[in-house]
Amino acid sequence: MSLIETLARMEAAAAGAARPLTTVRHRHLSDRPLVCVPLTTAGEAGAPLGALVGTDRERPLLLTVAQPRDRDLRFAFLAELADAVLPYLDGFADTVGHEERKETDPESGKKVTVQAELCADAPQLIVPSTAGVAYMRLLGRSTRFRRTAEQDPEAPYPAPPHVPLLGRWLTHLGERARVPGSCLLLSMTELLTRHWATGQSALEDQHLGALLAWIDPPEGLSGRAAAERAESARGEDGMLHCPPAGPATDPAFDNALLAPAMARYDADVPGAAEELRELIGGQLRPTWDAVWRGYDLLRALPPGAHVVDRWKRDRWSYTAHRDRVRAGEPPQPKRDDAVTAARKLASRETAQAQLDAQEALDDPLVMAGRRLAGEAFAGEVTAVEESFSEGPRPMPRPLVTLRTADTPLLTDGARLHRPLPDGKAQSAVFVAYEDGAAGSLTVRLTGGMGRGKVPAPGSVPEPGETVCWTLFEHAPRGGPQLPEPEDTPWTHGGPPAAGPEGDAPDPMTPEDFL
Amino acid sequence: MNVFRDSRPAAAAAPSARPTPPPSLRQRLTELRGPGIRPRALDARALAALAANPGCRRRALLDGAGVDKGALAQALGSPAGHGQSRFALARGNSFEARVKADGGAELLRLLHARLPSGTPAPEEGEVAAPDLAAAGPEGRAARTALALREATAAGGWTLLDHPLLAVEVAGSPAYVEPDAVVVRPDGVWTVVEIKSFPMIDGAADAAKVGAAARQAAVYVHGLEGVAAQVTAHGERPARVGDRVLLVCPQDFSNLPTAAAVDIRKQLATTRRQLARLTRVDEIAAALPPDTTFDLHLADDGRTATRPADELAAAVETVDAAYAPECLAACELAFHCRGRSRERGAVETLGRGVRGELGSLRTLDEVLAAAAERTADAAAAPADAPGHGAGPEHPAAPERAPEAPGAAPDDTDPALAALRRAARLRAEALGTAGPPVPVPRTAPGAEDPVCR
Amino acid sequence: MTGAPWTTRQTPGPGGAEPFDPGAAAAAATDAILHDTLHSTRPGVVVDSPPGAGKSTLVVRAARELAAAGHPLMIVAQTNAQVDDLVLRLAEKDPQLPVGRLHGSETGTVDPALAALPEVRTSAKIADLAGMDIVVSTAAKWAHTKVEEGWRHAIVDEAYQMRSDALLAVAGLFERALFVGDPGQLDPFSVVGAEQWAGLAYDPSSSAVATLLAHNPDLPQHRLPVSWRLPASAAPLVSDAFYPFARFRSGTGPGDRSLAFGVPGDGSGVDRVLDEAAVSGWGLLELPARHTPRTDPEAVRAVALVVRRLLDRGAAATSERGPDPEPVTAARVAVGTAHRDQAAAVRATLSELGVSGVVVDTANRLQGREYDVTVVLHPLSGRPDATAFHLETGRLCVLASRHRHACIVVCRAGVAELLDEHPSTEPVQLGVTVKFPDSWEAHHAVLARLAEHRVGWRG
């Protein structure tokens, strides 16, 4: 945790309410997100207990599994979930625009510009917590290899239609969510902790109810008191006032209410199924409302300038997966091959660097953290001296001196960057401290001044102007080009075997072993 | 393989199979628990708490005395939310039963498949399964040690189901119970941990595997003491494997799969932690003479009748080292957190925050030190407007910092960095306009989220 | 996946009772490496090289022998400085050898000294370097290089500091390669999570050698057995703590190197730790226990004072290189820290004390460098907590293995207790080979040895 965030947490603790960590919203929020609040059965992998899902906060769809060990009920749940989620995901597929993009021509191997479809908007799935994101991945993994009767008439225990497709989409969203700054699948706790500092630890922030209690405490209660209440206050029946945000349930709920109700269901007691629906719905509803309350809080923040750029990449990601599904490609493999893994890692590292840079450029409070860390400095220009590069065609290389209270970690010749009004970055190099000490320093502009012998208007700061230089690049580039999977070198095991056996459907036995 | 050159050989010194505390200590620990209360075993949760916070004297004393921390926390009014779901329990038990069914045939198959090829497989009916039942933990531990000696001498395959091992923790005996130990014909003992979290495509939740590895390391440590004795007195040498067998459900099924987990690191850590723990008798000796954590249970054996403030005072006699990680590991954590928050300890925000705060230990000290920037704020004009618009400073500026050692010192980089952080933060919030408004939900909603 | 194979490796002993001839042992190892490089039927050879074991010498020699045998080759290093250093060494050994230095398009990436070498050609375009016997560049530049026909031979330098995905990007350029590196130094890392690939042989965030050997376990593996840099006083500690499975010895004996001062000590803690280090090769200057911020002013000042007194007292070093003592000038001294801000604080304090010319840098940047005397600010000094970063074995190993004569560690008391209380609750990924030595153990081991050379700050 940076010192500036530590300080914000301490201010929050002392004030009894959360303090802002940003001045703008750094994540895209859809006008019409799909919220999904899942619950799972304790001790089981991928045995859903229920979910609230939908785009209308007043009318969520409640899905429940009365007996998670019953395969038919589980499949029915997944089929209903697919029916609720897939139309939403598909709903963005057909409104498209066209964009130019560079592609490698398969025949000539050259880069050519092509017109490509880009969906005008993309779906956004919001779950309560990071555990919820992991659960979406788990559901994706457990369902995408299932075979439907249509795909394979011989399949034992065929899955209902659409369930494998749901798995492929959840897998895609889950993988995309690993890309820093991406917004197709978000957790509310991550969204809120990015924007507010509470007076508790990051571990305690994982509790959505406690987190909201700090950010928006109820009348008459301090954030701390409200958070402690959200964490552990129980009614006379021993149930938490604020059930966990899932997917894990409260053990006390399992033991005192759920287990007896399930026993009644198993014994065919009339009304037991309805009772279970009510019980599970009662655990889900507070979290559903909390997610929407968080959504409202975040919507009140103005979006950062680069948020729309990053959302466009999410739209590309969505469009590409739409195309893969339409082309009838098989489900994503269980484990990535060497080249795919390296490509994903490289793209995520680039995304992280871009996100870090863009958040700082969009938000003085984030930039303050980078300045404190010695990765940027701001100050008032005190002098500008004309200067030119050497060589046959001298170019302007003016020297800019500024006074700053910041203490950047500069080495001789360090490259610097600052945003110009058109959004592009201007490069410079560090020259020296004035009088050899911090407080005042000189940089030499090396770019962004046009091609003329005189710098383009507005491209050189004036004395008295406040400028901010960063030591980090503003639009960091991607990693190296990697070979195609079929060209995987011997150092990495050679090309992956065709049709990997590992991606067969999971074994199914007559006994229902969940 | 002796990878670790432990500079404290005492750490590896074999605890005897039946460690017996000196009578005075045993008496003292009984008093701390309360008369007639049986000591709690050192279960997985206590081991996790030990690993998460080895330096906490309160935890060391309570675990050393076998106090039921969950009941204590309940009586203090700060119950932990650590229950276990019946579903998880039932699933865990049925999975373990399945793994051990048919005399452990499946378990031994899983183990054998991870041995070097060429190792002969155990024949059906060839696996011994000694009865380990005995009276009391001392008896069970002795029975386990005997069974291990016999199994090693016999030179065949033996499966010990829920053996009991004695380990010395902070000078006090404790008993731990692995799910199983397999003795191989070559005299190597392998700890088996059976967990109900899944291995999906060969990977499992790394935090859970880590906890299982630390737990298994304590078992291996306990076994090593027995192995040393068996080797010294038996005709065949015994060795404890430094890889344990972790058995989990495969993918989304109830079919078991397994992985060999190298626990050498966890074992080294466990040895050193156990060797360096403050001895329970030293902690106990520092308590006021009549201190006890006795809950004065009513006749139902569950309801505490001792006043909470009296219990709280008893608990306060021994220091805690609270950090948020305790919440997931220790039943008493909510109580300790409350006290820690009242004191304003910086650790309540996470262990990591201390790194840059130097010798400042409380939120008040930090905020007061940060507020000392008013003097240099005048020199930085950009700062002035930001100050008013920034978050109000809860710590009164006139309050002198209570940092031990000194008044604000410009040469202390922690203070200088704090002031810079405060100035930069206020400036950024100032230039960006007023701090982001926090929208209020509809008035009148007493608790808009939770019922 | 079934987890790690269930076998137990035996630790090779640190040599028996037979007399040890370092020169002969090193030569035998080098001959075997060169033989495999030129004649092995397997596509790769892996060489582990402890600190100062002559890795660069080996690379230069292997490159020249390959070229002499009519095999043009490419060399992959990790940083521009490493590439320039290799080119300079190649040209020094054989000024007639045509060497190409492939560089990035940004100006200022190439050492100007290369311009003076007649047979060295530098270019940002690989086509300009066609026909050169040897072409050297960074992994990053090679990854962006496209050629019609690749090389039959390659040498990959600092392969343990190269990430698996970086090797994936360049491995298509060559058919076979010699991989050389130091397994004890800092591991490569990723700024984003890579847990989803943990346990896979080709985990892109693991080291290139880990991936290479996971897929090709039968490749010939060698190690250089002698450190020519580390003195007899240092090799056992560094070898025991950081290379328990690949022990090495120092090339020099106990009496071969010595350090002496022209000016006697004044009895202060600083002078006494210098005297201790001159006698034993190690010194621990211990400051009173206190929790401090990273840039602990007292510790920083102590580090700077040690350097100042070292220079003021006219340190002179005698070694196997010549009969006469050589003055230990500022250029032969380095200060190592864990963090950049610590390095900056030490630089500022040295400058206040009027000392210039001493390299002050972080462990990352000191990798591969060599000095007569090093002064190290212990990564855990004054810390209230011990994070994985500060515990990382490679960081301590780099800091403790840069010196030819002596290493002085400045540290606050209480680190052993900090380590003991530091909870070790790391997650464990199935299928990932446990990296040894354990950082926790290595720190304890080094501290225990340093404690034998402890001098208090005051009295």
Side-chain angles (χ1 to χ4, degrees):
Chain A
M1 200 188 321
S2 76
L3 188 56
I4 219 160
E5 188 187 335
T6 299
L7 195 62
R9 282 188 186 270
M10 293 188 176
E11 287 173 1
R19 287 283 166 254
L21 280 179
T22 68
T23 62
V24 294
R25 171 161 46 78
H26 291 291
R27 298 291 180 276
H28 174 81
L29 273 191
S30 168
D31 291 338
R32 202 172 66 93
L34 182 82
V35 172
C36 181
V37 179
L39 276 186
T40 192
T41 311
E44 309 278 354
L49 183 62
L52 279 179
V53 59
T55 55
D56 181 347
R57 72 173 75 193
E58 304 302 334
R59 283 195 301 277
L61 175 66
L62 173 63
L63 306 175
T64 60
V65 183
Q67 176 46 272
R69 301 163 73 94
D70 183 325
R71 187 183 350 235
D72 291 335
L73 292 178
R74 200 160 65 242
F75 273 171
F77 170 91
L78 292 169
E80 287 177 290
L81 187 65
D83 287 343
V85 173
L86 288 176
Y88 173 77
L89 295 177
D90 283 340
F92 299 86
D94 294 323
T95 313
V96 296
H98 287 84
E99 288 273 327
E100 287 189 347
R101 65 186 288 173
K102 299 257 188 213
E103 276 182 13
T104 308
D105 184 76
E107 281 175 22
S108 68
K110 290 194 172 140
K111 290 260 182 186
V112 290
T113 305
V114 295
Q115 290 276 318
E117 273 193 359
L118 174 61
C119 294
D121 199 3
Q124 182 172 62
L125 180 57
I126 301 180
V127 295
S129 62
T130 47
V133 173
Y135 196 65
M136 291 296 121
R137 277 191 204 111
L138 191 74
L139 284 183
R141 166 64 185 82
S142 74
T143 53
R144 71 180 188 266
F145 300 106
R146 295 272 192 230
R147 310 287 290 171
T148 62
E150 194 184 331
Q151 287 170 315
D152 179 4
E154 303 289 302
Y157 317 106
H162 306 316
V163 165
L165 185 59
L166 173 72
R168 294 172 62 183
W169 271 109
L170 291 181
T171 301
H172 181 72
L173 298 179
E175 280 298 282
R176 180 70 193 165
R178 298 188 201 265
V179 177
S182 68
C183 292
L184 291 183
L185 169 59
L186 291 167
S187 78
M188 186 48 68
T189 48
E190 280 180 302
L191 279 170
L192 294 172
T193 51
R194 176 66 198 94
H195 296 91
W196 282 282
T198 64
Q200 61 186 2
S201 69
L203 276 174
E204 290 154 311
D205 281 348
Q206 299 306 305
H207 190 292
L208 179 60
L211 178 59
L212 275 168
W214 275 101
I215 297 173
D216 187 15
E219 289 288 335
L221 269 187
S222 75
R224 177 183 152 187
E228 287 176 359
R229 186 173 125 80
E231 275 175 338
S232 52
R234 290 179 185 271
E236 286 185 5
D237 56 356
M239 293 301 113
L240 286 167
H241 286 300
C242 186
T249 49
D250 174 22
F253 167 76
D254 280 9
N255 298 345
L257 301 179
L258 192 60
M262 273 186 192
R264 284 192 286 280
Y265 175 84
D266 290 342
D268 287 328
V269 175
E274 291 70 31
E275 184 198 359
L276 275 164
R277 263 184 81 78
E278 221 163 273
L279 275 177
I280 295 167
Q283 291 287 297
L284 287 165
R285 185 66 196 223
T287 305
W288 171 268
D289 291 336
V291 171
W292 284 103
R293 201 164 116 219
Y295 175 82
D296 289 342
L297 293 166
L298 288 157
R299 284 282 277 192
L301 303 181
H306 283 95
V307 165
V308 66
D309 294 355
R310 291 197 295 274
W311 179 244
K312 189 172 179 184
R313 281 192 220 123
D314 283 321
R315 287 160 52 207
W316 278 117
S317 167
Y318 168 73
T319 309
H321 190 65
R322 177 203 71 161
D323 293 345
R324 283 192 288 271
V325 170
R326 286 180 175 175
E329 287 185 23
Q332 302 94 326
K334 288 178 182 171
R335 306 212 81 171
D336 294 322
D337 60 63
V339 171
T340 306
R343 281 185 181 159
K344 284 184 177 175
L345 181 62
S347 75
R348 288 173 201 170
E349 288 185 314
T350 308
Q352 182 70 61
Q354 287 172 344
L355 178 68
D356 290 345
Q358 292 176 349
E359 287 191 351
L361 294 171
D362 289 353
D363 186 341
L365 191 46
V366 177
M367 186 65 90
R370 306 296 293 265
R371 287 165 62 190
L372 183 69
E375 296 166 336
F377 57 96
E380 190 188 329
V381 176
T382 54
V384 179
E385 186 185 327
E386 201 172 68
S387 169
F388 290 90
S389 63
E390 290 173 14
R393 198 166 160 265
M395 298 291 288
R397 293 286 180 264
L399 291 163
V400 178
T401 303
L402 75 160
R403 188 169 60 222
T404 177
D406 295 340
T407 50
L409 293 167
L410 289 169
T411 50
D412 286 346
R415 288 176 213 278
L416 303 170
H417 315 268
R418 82 170 176 122
L420 290 174
D422 64 359
K424 295 211 173 84
Q426 179 173 50
S427 61
V429 293
F430 168 64
V431 179
Y433 287 106
E434 292 283 291
D435 310 321
S440 187
L441 55 85
T442 303
V443 305
R444 182 191 301 279
L445 302 187
T446 57
M449 291 170 288
R451 294 175 168 273
K453 290 195 170 168
V454 181
S459 64
V460 179
E462 304 278 338
E465 203 175 315
T466 298
V467 291
C468 180
W469 293 99
T470 69
L471 281 72
F472 53 86
E473 283 185 56
H474 295 181
R477 284 176 300 156
Q481 284 224 324
L482 290 161
E484 293 300 316
E486 58 268 28
D487 298 326
T488 306
W490 62 273
T491 53
H492 287 63
E501 254 177 60
D503 290 340
D506 295 306
M508 304 276 277
T509 59
E511 178 198 0
D512 203 346
F513 27 60
L514 270 169
Chain B
M1 172 167 45
N2 185 17
V3 180
F4 309 103
R5 289 156 302 92
D6 197 318
S7 63
R8 297 179 188 81
S16 73
R18 280 201 279 172
T20 320
S24 58
L25 175 61
R26 193 180 347 176
Q27 177 59 32
R28 187 77 185 96
L29 297 184
T30 305
E31 287 166 15
L32 289 174
R33 273 194 312 275
I37 309 285
R38 290 187 50 181
R40 299 265 301 176
L42 200 65
D43 59 6
R45 179 166 296 286
L47 293 177
L50 167 67
N53 201 343
C56 179
R57 293 164 66 91
R58 184 177 293 168
R59 182 206 52 71
L61 180 70
L62 294 173
D63 281 343
V67 171
D68 183 343
K69 288 183 295 180
L72 178 61
Q74 180 86 40
L76 285 165
S78 305
H82 289 316
Q84 199 180 9
S85 164
R86 276 162 65 168
F87 300 115
L89 214 57
R91 155 93 174 196
N93 290 339
S94 77
F95 181 67
E96 183 174 339
R98 187 186 176 115
V99 171
K100 289 181 178 169
D102 303 327
E106 177 66 7
L107 197 160
L108 284 155
R109 189 191 64 74
L110 289 167
L111 174 61
H112 179 258
R114 281 152 191 83
L115 294 174
S117 54
T119 310
E123 299 284 327
E124 207 180 321
E126 193 205 33
V127 180
D131 179 14
L132 300 177
E138 291 93 341
R140 285 184 59 201
R143 186 70 196 84
T144 296
L146 184 63
L148 283 166
R149 176 183 297 191
E150 288 169 355
T152 307
W157 292 88
T158 303
L159 172 65
L160 279 76
D161 189 1
H162 285 282
L164 198 69
L165 304 168
V167 286
E168 192 185 280
V169 179
S172 157
Y175 295 93
V176 294
E177 186 177 324
D179 289 330
V181 171
V182 174
V183 178
R184 282 160 29 192
D186 57 2
V188 175
W189 304 353
T190 302
V191 167
V192 178
E193 269 301 283
I194 303 171
K195 297 290 181 189
S196 57
F197 57 82
M199 282 184 200
I200 296 174
D201 302 332
D205 183 324
K208 289 176 178 162
V209 177
R214 286 187 291 279
Q215 201 182 328
V218 178
Y219 303 149
V220 170
H221 176 70
L223 277 173
E224 280 179 336
V226 185
Q229 291 202 331
V230 168
T231 303
H233 302 294
E235 53 256 44
R236 305 183 70 232
R239 191 167 70 77
V240 189
D242 54 21
R243 280 155 205 236
V244 301
L245 189 73
L246 176 65
V247 183
C248 295
Q250 180 174 8
D251 299 335
F252 303 95
S253 77
N254 206 14
L255 305 170
T257 186
V261 180
D262 184 336
I263 52 108
R264 286 176 293 173
K265 279 189 180 196
Q266 289 78 14
L267 184 58
T269 309
T270 300
R271 281 187 189 134
R272 234 183 241 281
Q273 281 179 347
L274 290 177
R276 296 278 304 181
L277 284 178
T278 311
R279 295 178 59 85
V280 166
D281 49 2
E282 286 173 30
I283 303 174
L287 299 176
D290 49 357
T291 304
T292 175
F293 306 109
D294 188 357
L295 304 179
H296 296 167
L297 291 179
D299 291 342
D300 65 358
R302 294 170 53 196
T303 313
T305 64
R306 189 149 172 228
D309 51 353
E310 211 179 297
L311 270 176
V315 167
E316 282 304 306
T317 58
V318 53
D319 287 342
Y322 168 79
E325 286 81 1
C326 297
L327 293 168
C330 182
E331 292 89 339
L332 214 57
F334 279 112
H335 174 80
C336 300
R337 181 180 72 174
R339 292 304 167 105
S340 196
R341 281 180 169 176
E342 280 164 27
R343 281 200 314 279
V346 296
E347 288 86 357
T348 56
L349 300 182
R351 280 192 175 114
V353 306
R354 292 182 302 187
E356 290 189 84
L357 296 176
S359 54
L360 302 176
R361 302 309 301 255
T362 69
L363 304 189
D364 283 350
E365 282 172 15
V366 174
L367 289 170
E372 284 294 320
R373 65 198 171 77
T374 38
D376 59 76
D383 199 47
H387 188 224
E392 72 269 30
H393 265 277
E398 64 269 22
R399 185 159 174 196
E402 291 159 20
D409 173 3
D410 278 344
T411 62
D412 182 337
L415 296 185
L418 256 179
R419 283 173 204 153
R420 287 188 50 228
R423 180 176 59 76
L424 283 167
R425 186 169 156 74
E427 180 190 315
L429 285 166
T431 53
V436 176
V438 174
R440 293 267 153 197
T441 37
E446 178 220 353
D447 192 343
V449 166
C450 305
R451 65 193 167 96
Chain C
M1 188 176 58
T2 58
W6 205 286
T7 53
T8 303
R9 275 198 289 167
Q10 288 300 316
T11 310
E18 74 276 13
F20 181 72
D21 178 349
T30 307
D31 288 348
I33 294 162
L34 292 171
H35 179 268
D36 278 347
T37 304
L38 284 157
H39 306 298
S40 167
T41 56
R42 302 295 303 136
V45 178
V46 176
V47 178
D48 287 4
S49 170
K55 181 167 63 63
S56 302
T57 308
L58 173 72
V59 169
V60 166
R61 189 161 160 209
R64 291 178 57 217
E65 294 212 2
L66 281 168
H71 301 301
L73 74 148
M74 57 179 280
I75 301 183
V76 184
Q78 308 309 315
T79 67
N80 279 307
Q82 287 165 3
V83 170
D84 289 340
D85 185 56
L86 270 177
V87 173
L88 288 166
R89 283 171 185 262
L90 280 166
E92 185 189 351
K93 278 284 173 195
D94 186 353
Q96 310 305 318
L97 189 66
V99 176
R101 190 332 186 175
L102 181 66
H103 59 77
S105 48
E106 287 186 352
T107 52
T109 46
V110 177
D111 188 337
L114 266 55
L117 305 172
E119 295 302 320
V120 170
R121 192 185 301 166
T122 63
S123 175
K125 294 199 184 84
I126 189 66
D128 296 345
L129 304 176
M132 309 297 282
D133 281 8
I134 301 174
V135 182
V136 194
S137 193
T138 60
K141 178 62 184 175
W142 280 123
H144 287 285
T145 302
K146 285 208 171 64
V147 287
E148 287 292 312
E149 203 175 335
W151 280 262
R152 178 153 164 71
H153 285 273
I155 298 177
V156 179
D157 196 8
E158 301 289 1
Y160 282 92
Q161 276 71 60
M162 185 183 196
R163 239 170 48 179
S164 170
D165 55 352
L167 177 61
L168 178 61
V170 302
L173 293 170
F174 54 80
E175 289 173 30
R176 42 189 302 132
L178 168 66
F179 296 86
V180 186
D182 182 348
Q185 299 206 4
L186 289 160
D187 284 337
F189 64 97
S190 163
V191 293
V192 297
E195 295 82 12
Q196 75 183 110
W197 303 294
L200 290 179
Y202 47 73
D203 175 354
S205 67
S206 66
S207 97
V209 181
T211 291
L212 178 76
L213 290 176
H215 285 292
N216 303 275
D218 58 340
L219 294 186
Q221 294 178 54
H222 299 273
R223 72 188 160 90
L224 296 175
V226 175
S227 173
W228 301 103
R229 173 194 309 150
L230 291 174
S233 58
L237 186 158
V238 174
S239 175
D240 288 355
F242 302 108
Y243 300 85
F245 298 120
R247 301 274 161 101
F248 63 88
R249 312 260 300 239
S250 66
T252 51
D256 292 346
R257 293 196 188 152
S258 63
L259 191 64
F261 295 106
V263 178
D266 60 10
S268 68
V270 169
D271 275 12
R272 286 189 299 118
V273 82
L274 283 169
D275 292 335
E276 172 65 30
V279 171
S280 70
W282 295 100
L284 171 65
L285 182 60
E286 192 171 78
L287 274 57
R290 189 181 161 198
H291 285 167
T292 66
R294 282 211 305 244
T295 50
D296 177 1
E298 287 173 22
V300 162
R301 189 164 172 79
V303 168
L305 279 173
V306 169
V307 175
R308 171 76 200 258
R309 285 298 293 169
L310 173 73
L311 298 173
D312 282 359
R313 289 178 62 192
T318 311
S319 79
E320 71 285 1
R321 286 178 182 170
D324 298 322
E326 300 236 351
V328 178
T329 59
R332 298 300 307 151
V333 179
V335 174
T337 66
H339 289 282
R340 289 173 62 192
D341 52 1
Q342 293 171 334
V346 172
R347 273 187 222 114
T349 311
L350 279 175
S351 156
E352 282 167 26
L353 292 176
V355 177
S356 61
V358 171
V359 167
V360 184
D361 232 321
T362 56
N364 304 48
R365 288 153 183 259
L366 290 175
Q367 293 196 84
R369 312 276 285 275
E370 174 175 307
Y371 301 90
D372 281 341
V373 181
T374 55
V375 183
V376 171
L377 178 56
H378 195 284
L380 294 172
S381 176
R383 287 198 67 81
D385 61 343
T387 67
F389 174 90
H390 299 96
L391 284 173
E392 190 176 347
T393 321
R395 183 157 283 104
L396 188 63
C397 179
V398 170
L399 293 172
S401 62
R402 301 300 98 201
H403 61 283
R404 285 176 52 83
H405 285 273
C407 174
I408 296 154
V409 178
V410 174
C411 189
R412 287 200 175 268
V415 170
E417 289 70 24
L418 170 70
L419 283 171
D420 284 336
E421 295 205 349
H422 177 67
S424 173
T425 51
E426 282 172 21
V428 174
Q429 301 279 2
L430 293 177
V432 176
T433 308
V434 175
K435 184 173 151 57
F436 270 86
D438 179 39
S439 55
W440 214 68
E441 270 308 298
H443 268 278
H444 263 301
V446 171
L447 271 177
R449 297 287 282 275
L450 283 177
E452 297 160 19
H453 310 286
R454 175 164 51 202
V455 170
W457 174 240
R458 290 183 224 290

